[in-house]
Amino acid sequence: MEDIKELLEKVKNGEVSTDEAVLMLKRAPFEDIGYAKVDTHRKLRQGVAEVIYGAGKTSGQILGIIWTMRDKGQDTIIITRIDEDKAGAISKEYKLDYNRDGRIGIIGKKPEPDGIGTIVVATGGTSDIPVAEEAAFTAETLGNEVKRIYDVGVAGLHRTLAHLDDIMSASVIIAIAGMEGALASVIGGLADCPVIAVPTSVGYGASFNGLSALLSMLNSCASGVTVTNIDNGFGAGYTASMINHMKG
Amino acid sequence: MEDIKELLEKVKNGEVSTDEAVLMLKRAPFEDIGYAKVDTHRKLRQGVAEVIYGAGKTSGQILGIIWTMRDKGQDTIIITRIDEDKAGAISKEYKLDYNRDGRIGIIGKKPEPDGIGTIVVATGGTSDIPVAEEAAFTAETLGNEVKRIYDVGVAGLHRTLAHLDDIMSASVIIAIAGMEGALASVIGGLADCPVIAVPTSVGYGASFNGLSALLSMLNSCASGVTVTNIDNGFGAGYTASMINHMKG
Amino acid sequence: MEDIKELLEKVKNGEVSTDEAVLMLKRAPFEDIGYAKVDTHRKLRQGVAEVIYGAGKTSGQILGIIWTMRDKGQDTIIITRIDEDKAGAISKEYKLDYNRDGRIGIIGKKPEPDGIGTIVVATGGTSDIPVAEEAAFTAETLGNEVKRIYDVGVAGLHRTLAHLDDIMSASVIIAIAGMEGALASVIGGLADCPVIAVPTSVGYGASFNGLSALLSMLNSCASGVTVTNIDNGFGAGYTASMINHMKG
Amino acid sequence: MEDIKELLEKVKNGEVSTDEAVLMLKRAPFEDIGYAKVDTHRKLRQGVAEVIYGAGKTSGQILGIIWTMRDKGQDTIIITRIDEDKAGAISKEYKLDYNRDGRIGIIGKKPEPDGIGTIVVATGGTSDIPVAEEAAFTAETLGNEVKRIYDVGVAGLHRTLAHLDDIMSASVIIAIAGMEGALASVIGGLADCPVIAVPTSVGYGASFNGLSALLSMLNSCASGVTVTNIDNGFGAGYTASMINHMKG
Amino acid sequence: MEDIKELLEKVKNGEVSTDEAVLMLKRAPFEDIGYAKVDTHRKLRQGVAEVIYGAGKTSGQILGIIWTMRDKGQDTIIITRIDEDKAGAISKEYKLDYNRDGRIGIIGKKPEPDGIGTIVVATGGTSDIPVAEEAAFTAETLGNEVKRIYDVGVAGLHRTLAHLDDIMSASVIIAIAGMEGALASVIGGLADCPVIAVPTSVGYGASFNGLSALLSMLNSCASGVTVTNIDNGFGAGYTASMINHMKG
Amino acid sequence: MEDIKELLEKVKNGEVSTDEAVLMLKRAPFEDIGYAKVDTHRKLRQGVAEVIYGAGKTSGQILGIIWTMRDKGQDTIIITRIDEDKAGAISKEYKLDYNRDGRIGIIGKKPEPDGIGTIVVATGGTSDIPVAEEAAFTAETLGNEVKRIYDVGVAGLHRTLAHLDDIMSASVIIAIAGMEGALASVIGGLADCPVIAVPTSVGYGASFNGLSALLSMLNSCASGVTVTNIDNGFGAGYTASMINHMKG
Amino acid sequence: MEDIKELLEKVKNGEVSTDEAVLMLKRAPFEDIGYAKVDTHRKLRQGVAEVIYGAGKTSGQILGIIWTMRDKGQDTIIITRIDEDKAGAISKEYKLDYNRDGRIGIIGKKPEPDGIGTIVVATGGTSDIPVAEEAAFTAETLGNEVKRIYDVGVAGLHRTLAHLDDIMSASVIIAIAGMEGALASVIGGLADCPVIAVPTSVGYGASFNGLSALLSMLNSCASGVTVTNIDNGFGAGYTASMINHMKG
Amino acid sequence: MEDIKELLEKVKNGEVSTDEAVLMLKRAPFEDIGYAKVDTHRKLRQGVAEVIYGAGKTSGQILGIIWTMRDKGQDTIIITRIDEDKAGAISKEYKLDYNRDGRIGIIGKKPEPDGIGTIVVATGGTSDIPVAEEAAFTAETLGNEVKRIYDVGVAGLHRTLAHLDDIMSASVIIAIAGMEGALASVIGGLADCPVIAVPTSVGYGASFNGLSALLSMLNSCASGVTVTNIDNGFGAGYTASMINHMKG
């Protein structure tokens, strides 16, 4: 695998043309195990850990993908959207650090935080915590210091303001809310850093399973706010980590 | 007309049964002028002024309705959703107090404020002002003290907070915003009085002509918030006046 | 806690600036118990009772929040959206006055009615009763006289008209309906007081889980009608109580 | 053409099999004039008048279709959705009885009413009149007595009730309304005859161009109510005439 | 009860004014049994049978309503949307003629057909049969001859054409289809009588639970087609019966 | 049955007019077995196998339809959307070749491939495999060579490009994807053959059960792409087979 | 350019690997003229003519792209979505064969038809003709025999059946309809060839700018039907030509 | 103003509590000029330039806001969404650097690029250029090196791949596309940096004014992709600049 890493370094340095790199990448990169094509080089390209999206996969399929990854030298593996049963099945084979709220786990050890600053993960209410934990855990496993501030919805503005120091000193903020999703705008207006807004499906009636929060966040008047899919805690944590590891 | 007023008093006092009142109301209340049925007793029932919804009516039609109302003794008439041209045509015949921003006018004089307290009309941005003026003007013509605080959207929270005194001392608040509509939740959380939220069609893209603000306001986590149709400044002003005239 | 109450009085009187008040409020107001931030001063600010939104919380979490509230001196606590199982679990620890239809309960005693007049809670059909009971119970626990008139949908107009006296003498009306939601307009046209319309998810096919009733109510031609989220009986009861306690 | 009429009689009587009739109908029934295929036998099958849907056709095209129809013996021709300009162009060639509000006209003379009873055309507001006139004019040209009751929206229930006699003695009722569309349910509950509900695009904001009224009418709790497309006055008038000409 | 029947006759004859009739109807017409208001005069006004909408009611509630109706002299009672369990519970107390496919039953005996002609109930596919049976059974219990032609969807046009005789000789047609809902247009084009189109929730993917069929039917180019709510077999059967009993 | 086959040949050759053929087809073509009308001539008209859509049918109903088909000489029968239980029940009576992933089976033997070239079935992810297997199995049973390339979503473009040879040499491509559905555009841009895009309901949040992929595919900038209903693997396989059997 | 053609032949023959071909294609294929990247090799890859999508481009921009294409040896150029003004401007410089209805033109000469059979282009109504002409003209310029059958909507089934010979002998059918879009299902059921369904934005009210026809066509019960974007006549003509040029 | 800047530094350093800072910020920060509240301290907080959202403001209003800003020491002012007429009016008073395509301008001089790396702005087609120019110009005025790669939509994948070097070496990428919006996923899969996806309203039919691209981008399978409102080039440029100025 190391040659791929070197290859990509050379692409960045201009020593190898991308044309040649594309050809090389095409030859090496994945194992075909029937029900899935397992990337075995992505660690090199997009981060230190490889990710398995667990939704809709059986424990057996997940274990097969883990085995293939590790066989190819991938030690750190994040597995998202797995319930306790699947986590239990995986734990019998591998040492799994599992986050029950976020339904997410990691095989291998979390790296030391090496980002620019702190990623703040804020939620509007208690019911948003599962999405928040998915985001926070993801960011931590990708080497970030994470600060959680939960249940700070704007209908109780004093709660939001109580965390003004955290908000103003954050490196990146993940603002997670269902219902009316106003948290993103208020934090976006206060903060001086990129804000990743995650609408959640929390709510009832005219929340339409997250549509209300999604539209609200997309229309935020605050600058610096971008949005992920509904309930996409992993995506928010991943992107926040990318931003928190920008290099000058 | 006075007998109808008395009639209704008697209904409230139980002197007359509603059955009998319904029959009476059925006989008296409107003039049929072909293209419209003009209520000539509503002043007594729902407020001091009668209202003409001007959208989709010609100047001639509006003048005809005014004539009929005044002929029946209605002196104070509010006309909503009329552009400057129509306002000009009406002004030639009657003394019209016209609000250009709110596209609304009144024939007859505004009453002195006699409500419980002050109605605060707040907007998220400058573009929401037309809807706000429709609301404010309506409330004024129905006998309310109105305080306007415009351009206090939550993405600039310091602007909202700068009006904390107005918000906390209001009798009723009308919160008007397009885009993400978060103003209603923030004000709803701070205030200790009924908040009427008015979504506006201000915005672009995923605001979907006010749908985003509408859903956001309906999902507000703050208690005491109810919602009107998109851009319905008149309805908000009318209801706010009703609340501000509650009698013990 | 009493000093906060006094503080807010002083804000209203202008003795204390809001700036100073904000600082004070920020310091005192909530307990952080991990999964939730429990407001311990809201009684003073927004009503006599504190509210726990029970949906998505375990019995254990709810009990924890209750304990914290009572520890801070909050005696009267409303808990919404709890099924019979949760109500049973709470009842083992505290004396709970539980309304099965409305899935809502109160710890502590309901205050005597001290509002301006009577709040009428009307429904279009039998299936709307759960939402209506949530609204009625909420209003009662906040100190209001409540009159229930159920199953008075406009397709049987004689049923609606049979309650004309109630409608015309109400202080505030909560009109609850699914399907086509026409009840709000008919009552709004008859009544001379604020009408809070609550669309319900009752219906099938093109009711689209309450969307039909929601749109219908937002478009009501009757003045004085505002709307809550679908099935939001609590919000309607809370706002109706606010209006019914307006002070001159 | 007469032989087709006879043919269809024979089908009904069982003298001719439908198989044979299909073949015959396939051979005779239309003229192909390039931009349109003009039915020349429909008079026999579906009513006394032939209909041209004028929207999106030029005056020239409409005149061509008229010429073809008349050349084949069709004397009575209804033309829908034509503005005054097109009506003027047609009037130069043919005697056109034109209804400006309904943007509809007839060549040839209206038949005497020969239906079972009276068709009532009711509207919620003044702005619904164009759709109502399309419906009323259509019904009249198809041989029906029509009673118009306009501006009887349910927010002014006394106006609706003032026409209770008309509603209760109608043969068929066409209930036309935009906004919340509640008129259909109220009339459907009062009447003892089929009610055809026509949603209109009248309104703003959350009326979403008639969607609100459409959904409301589809969800009507009143029995005997069916619905047409938004603004489809012609379709309502046509179906009402069919029903009013049912034969025992 | 008989006096009410006479009363209404007098209204039609003009012997009694509607004003007086309204008052009378208001006094007599329903029993309040707590969870429902049971109409006890509707037989006189809208048909021979009274209807109970069973969805969302317990067996006990339904039995209570039946008891009240029968106590007031109503012998023939239709109960819709009841599963086999509820039907079984009712059968223990009353003789119930139950239609399993249509989840509908009748207490009392079906009248002899006395309508103008035959009501044809057609479906696009086999899966539409439950809605069709609800419609057919309803029409039969209201005194109509019913002809069922099932699984005649337009993608197999030869099946539709095989029933051309039925279609062309029908008095009223109920066209029931999910998916693309094209059946209504094809039948509407062939038939010479009113067509009531019932969209069903049959389908998957972009059928969006009946939305596709609903929109398709509302946009039908065929004249004489009106539409009910999705899956509303009862409403279609009821309206078809009304039309089939029109009196000259 | 053979005479029908000959008949259709004669229609194509012009020896028999379609008019006459329609009559003949109308007489022969289906058996009415109560709950369904079973086509017994479609083999001749639209392919070698007859299809039963299994969703919403009981095992008993399916067996009845199979019996009728076979009784009329139809040996090869495809049954779609049947779970393992139904497949088991059918297997007891007939030899069923069942594809568990695609929930589809065939009675009778698959023909040898006799199409123009190879049909490529590609999926964006692992979760799309059930829809893909339905498509692939359908194509195989209709006589096509099928090449499966699964889990080649465009977010891992190297995976897509690794199959460039397959894509460029395909006769028809079925591109199956949920989420953002971008696979269709990328393949459509690379390929030189018709591409049938199948959106799937795979995803969460703003995928709205396949709506996102559906819209994405309909808007594809690549020429030669057409779209089926969400999850409609059968339809895609069927159409691809039609195209792959075009005859010069 | 010829070497690219040869290159691709070699790819198909396996003489050159696709890896190498991709590299070569990357170097050669387009000219960057600032506001657009003009493909100069697509003729070789996807058909004899190159296409310019004219919507949103000025006459000047279009002329620039034409010049670049011709400079690279592309003689035959189709330009879509150009109004008469732009067509006039282009005609001054180049010989343009322009189709006014379809707003489409071709520079260079149309090839002789060399497809498998005839492409039938059918429309439901007269208003669908512009989309149909775009499709028909596209197919003709790509070397296909085209048969137009317009105004054959299923509400006048005799019109559809009158063209049964065309439908049954077609090689590919393009079924174009707005409103309820039922044409695709009826033709799909009759035909024995691939049917490309094109929904159009023709209609009003609940047609929602083509949504109704789009959903209807996606849900077609007829096998062999696939769907394009609303009003996408070009895409349908292009794909139909691909299918009509399949080679054994 | 300098003291505010210092103040904020002190907040970051912990020398001043946020409580005190909030009070200070509340006193100073904006000028109320009636129709707008002009922030005069935001330069210090959120970037070097202040921004005026020009949509819905008259030239006069914009000039008033500019005057106020400059009066308070703000030299660099970006004005978005202004057409050429407004730009002309502003140019008469101030030196305006105007970008016609992006309808955006700057008063004062653009700073030298001082970000971490290059921001790549990519579009799917030519029609997306206005949104792209808004983004690119914004990023440039905020001190970023910008690389434009336009018309690289994925249906012509060779165009996308031709810019692989730019994509792989970018610091941040803004991916702008209408129609199916697949560009974001393809670039997101290739790139190793944050990707900001901007859906545009470019397209027709089922693009539903950008909804298709919006949903597609929200559902992107590629990690590191977040989304802005439809057509929000300014927001994307602003956020990209924030990320490109992250400091270790």
Side-chain angles (χ1 to χ4, degrees), chain A residues 19 37 40 63 91 126 142 179 215:
Chain A
D19 291 345
K37 292 189 172 49
T40 50
L63 284 167
S91 292
T126 299
L142 295 171
M179 311 291 283
L215 294 181

Side-chain angles (χ1 to χ4, degrees), chain A residues 154-157 161 179-182 185-186 188-190 203-208 211-212 215-222, chain B residues 154-157 161 179-182 185-186 188-190 203-208 211-212 215-222:
Chain A
V154 299
L157 199 58
L161 293 178
M179 311 291 283
E180 85 273 60
S185 287
V186 170
L190 293 169
Y204 64 92
S207 80
F208 295 125
L211 179 64
S212 170
L215 294 181
S216 183
M217 287 169 167
L218 286 167
N219 281 285
S220 175
C221 308
Chain B
V154 298
L157 199 59
L161 293 178
M179 312 289 283
E180 86 272 60
S185 286
V186 170
L190 293 168
Y204 65 91
S207 81
F208 294 125
L211 178 64
S212 170
L215 292 181
S216 183
M217 288 168 167
L218 285 167
N219 282 284
S220 175
C221 306

Side-chain angles (χ1 to χ4, degrees), chain E residues 206, chain F residues 173-177 181 184-185 194-200 210-222 224-233 235-236 239 243, chain G residues 195-199 214-215 217-220 222 224-230 232 235-236 239, chain H residues 180 206:
Chain F
I173 301 176
I174 299 173
I176 300 170
S185 286
V195 174
I196 299 172
V198 185
T200 72
L211 178 63
S212 170
L214 172 62
L215 294 182
S216 184
M217 288 170 166
L218 285 167
N219 282 286
S220 175
C221 307
V225 177
T226 55
V227 186
T228 71
N229 194 358
I230 297 163
D231 292 335
N232 190 3
T239 306
I243 296 172
Chain G
V195 173
I196 299 171
V198 186
L214 172 62
L215 293 181
M217 287 169 166
L218 286 167
N219 282 285
S220 174
V225 177
T226 56
V227 186
T228 70
N229 194 358
I230 297 164
N232 189 3
T239 305
Chain H
E180 85 271 61

